[in-house]
Short mmCIF file of all heavy atoms in Angstrom, two decimals:
data_model
loop_
_atom_site.label_atom_id
_atom_site.label_comp_id
_atom_site.label_asym_id
_atom_site.label_seq_id
_atom_site.Cartn_x
_atom_site.Cartn_y
_atom_site.Cartn_z
N ASN E 1 25.34 -9.91 1.58
CA ASN E 1 25.39 -11.30 1.11
C ASN E 1 24.04 -11.73 0.55
O ASN E 1 23.62 -12.85 0.72
CB ASN E 1 25.79 -12.25 2.22
CG ASN E 1 27.24 -12.02 2.73
OD1 ASN E 1 28.05 -11.64 1.93
ND2 ASN E 1 27.45 -12.25 3.99
N GLY E 2 23.38 -10.76 -0.09
CA GLY E 2 22.10 -11.08 -0.75
C GLY E 2 20.92 -11.13 0.21
O GLY E 2 19.83 -11.51 -0.18
N TRP E 3 21.12 -10.71 1.46
CA TRP E 3 20.08 -10.85 2.48
C TRP E 3 19.43 -9.48 2.77
O TRP E 3 20.13 -8.50 2.99
CB TRP E 3 20.66 -11.47 3.73
CG TRP E 3 19.68 -11.58 4.90
CD1 TRP E 3 19.73 -10.92 6.05
CD2 TRP E 3 18.54 -12.42 4.94
NE1 TRP E 3 18.68 -11.30 6.87
CE2 TRP E 3 17.93 -12.23 6.19
CE3 TRP E 3 17.95 -13.34 4.07
CZ2 TRP E 3 16.77 -12.89 6.60
CZ3 TRP E 3 16.80 -14.00 4.46
CH2 TRP E 3 16.24 -13.78 5.71
N TYR E 4 18.11 -9.44 2.78
CA TYR E 4 17.38 -8.20 2.99
C TYR E 4 16.75 -8.09 4.37
O TYR E 4 16.11 -7.11 4.70
CB TYR E 4 16.26 -8.02 1.97
CG TYR E 4 16.74 -7.80 0.56
CD1 TYR E 4 16.98 -8.86 -0.30
CD2 TYR E 4 16.97 -6.52 0.09
CE1 TYR E 4 17.42 -8.65 -1.59
CE2 TYR E 4 17.39 -6.29 -1.21
CZ TYR E 4 17.60 -7.37 -2.04
OH TYR E 4 18.06 -7.14 -3.32
N GLY E 5 16.87 -9.12 5.20
CA GLY E 5 16.08 -9.15 6.45
C GLY E 5 16.74 -8.50 7.62
O GLY E 5 17.96 -8.22 7.61
N GLY E 6 15.96 -8.22 8.69
CA GLY E 6 16.47 -7.75 9.98
C GLY E 6 17.23 -6.47 9.93
O GLY E 6 18.24 -6.29 10.66
N ASN E 7 16.81 -5.49 9.11
CA ASN E 7 17.64 -4.31 8.91
C ASN E 7 16.97 -3.01 9.38
O ASN E 7 17.32 -1.92 8.93
CB ASN E 7 18.04 -4.16 7.47
CG ASN E 7 16.87 -4.27 6.52
OD1 ASN E 7 15.74 -4.10 6.90
ND2 ASN E 7 17.15 -4.53 5.25
N GLY E 8 15.99 -3.10 10.22
CA GLY E 8 15.34 -1.89 10.70
C GLY E 8 14.29 -1.33 9.78
O GLY E 8 13.83 -0.21 9.92
N LEU E 9 13.84 -2.15 8.80
CA LEU E 9 12.81 -1.74 7.88
C LEU E 9 11.67 -2.75 7.96
O LEU E 9 11.87 -3.95 7.83
CB LEU E 9 13.34 -1.71 6.41
CG LEU E 9 14.56 -0.79 6.18
CD1 LEU E 9 15.06 -0.96 4.78
CD2 LEU E 9 14.20 0.66 6.49
N GLY E 10 10.48 -2.26 8.24
CA GLY E 10 9.34 -3.17 8.35
C GLY E 10 8.98 -3.45 9.82
O GLY E 10 9.03 -2.56 10.64
N ALA E 11 8.63 -4.65 10.13
CA ALA E 11 8.36 -5.16 11.49
C ALA E 11 6.95 -5.73 11.56
O ALA E 11 6.76 -6.88 11.98
CB ALA E 11 8.57 -4.16 12.58
N GLY E 12 5.92 -4.97 11.17
CA GLY E 12 4.55 -5.48 11.15
C GLY E 12 4.04 -5.89 12.50
O GLY E 12 3.48 -6.95 12.69
N VAL E 13 4.23 -5.00 13.52
CA VAL E 13 3.80 -5.31 14.89
C VAL E 13 2.32 -5.07 15.06
O VAL E 13 1.78 -4.02 14.62
CB VAL E 13 4.63 -4.49 15.88
CG1 VAL E 13 4.13 -4.70 17.31
CG2 VAL E 13 6.09 -4.83 15.77
N GLN E 14 1.62 -5.98 15.71
CA GLN E 14 0.19 -5.78 16.00
C GLN E 14 0.01 -4.70 17.02
O GLN E 14 0.72 -4.66 18.06
CB GLN E 14 -0.40 -7.09 16.53
CG GLN E 14 -0.44 -8.23 15.51
CD GLN E 14 -1.63 -8.12 14.59
OE1 GLN E 14 -2.62 -7.51 14.93
NE2 GLN E 14 -1.51 -8.73 13.42
N VAL E 15 -0.94 -3.80 16.76
CA VAL E 15 -1.29 -2.71 17.68
C VAL E 15 -2.79 -2.67 17.89
O VAL E 15 -3.55 -3.37 17.18
CB VAL E 15 -0.78 -1.36 17.19
CG1 VAL E 15 0.74 -1.37 17.03
CG2 VAL E 15 -1.41 -0.99 15.84
N ALA E 16 -3.25 -1.88 18.82
CA ALA E 16 -4.66 -1.77 19.11
C ALA E 16 -5.43 -1.28 17.91
O ALA E 16 -4.95 -0.45 17.15
CB ALA E 16 -4.89 -0.81 20.30
N VAL E 17 -6.64 -1.81 17.71
CA VAL E 17 -7.45 -1.41 16.58
C VAL E 17 -8.11 -0.04 16.80
O VAL E 17 -8.59 0.59 15.86
CB VAL E 17 -8.54 -2.44 16.25
CG1 VAL E 17 -7.91 -3.76 15.82
CG2 VAL E 17 -9.48 -2.66 17.45
N SER E 18 -8.13 0.46 18.03
CA SER E 18 -8.67 1.78 18.32
C SER E 18 -7.58 2.84 18.13
O SER E 18 -6.42 2.54 17.99
CB SER E 18 -9.21 1.84 19.76
OG SER E 18 -8.12 1.80 20.68
N ASN E 19 -8.01 4.08 18.14
CA ASN E 19 -7.08 5.20 18.02
C ASN E 19 -6.74 5.81 19.39
O ASN E 19 -6.48 7.01 19.49
CB ASN E 19 -7.64 6.27 17.08
CG ASN E 19 -7.57 5.87 15.62
OD1 ASN E 19 -6.61 5.31 15.19
ND2 ASN E 19 -8.65 6.13 14.89
N ASP E 20 -6.73 5.01 20.42
CA ASP E 20 -6.35 5.47 21.73
C ASP E 20 -4.91 6.03 21.65
O ASP E 20 -3.96 5.29 21.35
CB ASP E 20 -6.40 4.32 22.74
CG ASP E 20 -5.97 4.79 24.12
OD1 ASP E 20 -6.71 5.53 24.78
OD2 ASP E 20 -4.80 4.45 24.51
N PRO E 21 -4.73 7.32 21.91
CA PRO E 21 -3.38 7.94 21.73
C PRO E 21 -2.30 7.29 22.54
O PRO E 21 -1.17 7.07 22.06
CB PRO E 21 -3.62 9.40 22.10
CG PRO E 21 -5.09 9.64 21.93
CD PRO E 21 -5.72 8.32 22.32
N LEU E 22 -2.58 7.00 23.81
CA LEU E 22 -1.54 6.46 24.66
C LEU E 22 -1.12 5.04 24.22
O LEU E 22 0.06 4.71 24.20
CB LEU E 22 -2.00 6.46 26.11
CG LEU E 22 -1.02 5.88 27.13
CD1 LEU E 22 0.29 6.69 27.10
CD2 LEU E 22 -1.59 5.88 28.52
N SER E 23 -2.12 4.20 23.91
CA SER E 23 -1.81 2.82 23.48
C SER E 23 -0.99 2.85 22.19
O SER E 23 0.01 2.12 22.06
CB SER E 23 -3.11 2.07 23.25
OG SER E 23 -2.86 0.79 22.72
N LEU E 24 -1.36 3.70 21.25
CA LEU E 24 -0.65 3.75 19.98
C LEU E 24 0.74 4.32 20.17
O LEU E 24 1.72 3.82 19.63
CB LEU E 24 -1.44 4.58 18.95
CG LEU E 24 -0.91 4.65 17.52
CD1 LEU E 24 -0.68 3.25 16.96
CD2 LEU E 24 -1.88 5.43 16.63
N ALA E 25 0.86 5.37 20.99
CA ALA E 25 2.17 5.95 21.26
C ALA E 25 3.09 4.94 21.95
O ALA E 25 4.31 4.94 21.66
CB ALA E 25 2.01 7.21 22.12
N GLN E 26 2.57 4.15 22.86
CA GLN E 26 3.40 3.14 23.54
C GLN E 26 3.95 2.13 22.51
O GLN E 26 5.15 1.80 22.57
CB GLN E 26 2.54 2.44 24.57
CG GLN E 26 3.27 1.31 25.34
CD GLN E 26 4.06 1.85 26.49
OE1 GLN E 26 4.01 3.06 26.81
NE2 GLN E 26 4.85 0.98 27.16
N ALA E 27 3.10 1.65 21.61
CA ALA E 27 3.57 0.71 20.61
C ALA E 27 4.58 1.34 19.66
O ALA E 27 5.64 0.73 19.34
CB ALA E 27 2.37 0.22 19.79
N ILE E 28 4.38 2.58 19.26
CA ILE E 28 5.32 3.29 18.41
C ILE E 28 6.67 3.40 19.08
O ILE E 28 7.73 3.17 18.47
CB ILE E 28 4.76 4.68 18.02
CG1 ILE E 28 3.56 4.53 17.10
CG2 ILE E 28 5.85 5.52 17.34
CD1 ILE E 28 2.83 5.81 16.82
N TRP E 29 6.66 3.79 20.36
CA TRP E 29 7.89 3.95 21.12
C TRP E 29 8.70 2.68 21.14
O TRP E 29 9.90 2.65 20.85
CB TRP E 29 7.54 4.41 22.54
CG TRP E 29 8.68 4.32 23.53
CD1 TRP E 29 9.92 4.86 23.40
CD2 TRP E 29 8.63 3.66 24.78
NE1 TRP E 29 10.69 4.58 24.50
CE2 TRP E 29 9.92 3.83 25.38
CE3 TRP E 29 7.67 2.95 25.48
CZ2 TRP E 29 10.25 3.30 26.62
CZ3 TRP E 29 7.99 2.47 26.72
CH2 TRP E 29 9.26 2.61 27.27
N MET E 30 8.08 1.55 21.50
CA MET E 30 8.82 0.29 21.63
C MET E 30 9.34 -0.22 20.28
O MET E 30 10.45 -0.66 20.16
CB MET E 30 7.91 -0.75 22.24
CG MET E 30 7.50 -0.46 23.68
SD MET E 30 8.94 -0.37 24.79
CE MET E 30 9.52 -2.04 24.74
N VAL E 31 8.52 -0.10 19.23
CA VAL E 31 8.93 -0.61 17.92
C VAL E 31 10.02 0.30 17.33
O VAL E 31 10.99 -0.19 16.72
CB VAL E 31 7.74 -0.68 16.95
CG1 VAL E 31 8.19 -1.23 15.58
CG2 VAL E 31 6.66 -1.58 17.51
N THR E 32 9.91 1.60 17.53
CA THR E 32 10.94 2.53 17.04
C THR E 32 12.28 2.23 17.67
O THR E 32 13.33 2.19 16.95
CB THR E 32 10.55 3.97 17.29
OG1 THR E 32 9.28 4.26 16.67
CG2 THR E 32 11.58 4.93 16.74
N GLU E 33 12.31 2.02 18.97
CA GLU E 33 13.55 1.68 19.66
C GLU E 33 14.17 0.43 19.08
O GLU E 33 15.38 0.37 18.79
CB GLU E 33 13.31 1.50 21.16
CG GLU E 33 14.50 1.07 21.97
CD GLU E 33 15.56 2.14 22.14
OE1 GLU E 33 15.18 3.35 21.99
OE2 GLU E 33 16.71 1.83 22.38
N SER E 34 13.38 -0.63 18.93
CA SER E 34 13.86 -1.89 18.40
C SER E 34 14.37 -1.75 16.97
O SER E 34 15.45 -2.24 16.65
CB SER E 34 12.76 -2.94 18.45
OG SER E 34 13.14 -4.11 17.80
N GLN E 35 13.65 -1.02 16.14
CA GLN E 35 14.04 -0.85 14.77
C GLN E 35 15.30 -0.03 14.60
O GLN E 35 16.11 -0.28 13.71
CB GLN E 35 12.89 -0.28 13.91
CG GLN E 35 11.73 -1.22 13.72
CD GLN E 35 12.09 -2.45 12.90
OE1 GLN E 35 12.61 -3.41 13.42
NE2 GLN E 35 11.82 -2.37 11.62
N TYR E 36 15.47 0.98 15.45
CA TYR E 36 16.69 1.74 15.37
C TYR E 36 17.91 0.89 15.70
O TYR E 36 18.94 0.95 15.02
CB TYR E 36 16.61 2.94 16.33
CG TYR E 36 17.95 3.67 16.46
CD1 TYR E 36 18.41 4.45 15.40
CD2 TYR E 36 18.72 3.56 17.60
CE1 TYR E 36 19.66 5.10 15.50
CE2 TYR E 36 19.97 4.17 17.70
CZ TYR E 36 20.40 4.95 16.66
OH TYR E 36 21.62 5.58 16.72
#
């Protein structure tokens, strides 16, 4: 119906500015689940 939103593309979630592997992996896990 002409709407592009809420379809598992994008999100733009704030994550830690450091490259701490565990912190980044945790954010990826949660956002991936939600987007799927």
Side-chain angles (χ1 to χ4, degrees):
N1 295 327
W3 177 246
Y4 291 91
N7 51 18
L9 304 174
V13 175
Q14 293 279 336
V15 299
V17 296
S18 70
N19 285 318
D20 177 74
L22 180 58
S23 174
L24 186 53
Q26 179 83 5
I28 291 171
W29 167 52
M30 295 299 294
V31 180
T32 302
E33 176 72 22
S34 172
Q35 290 295 84
Y36 171 72

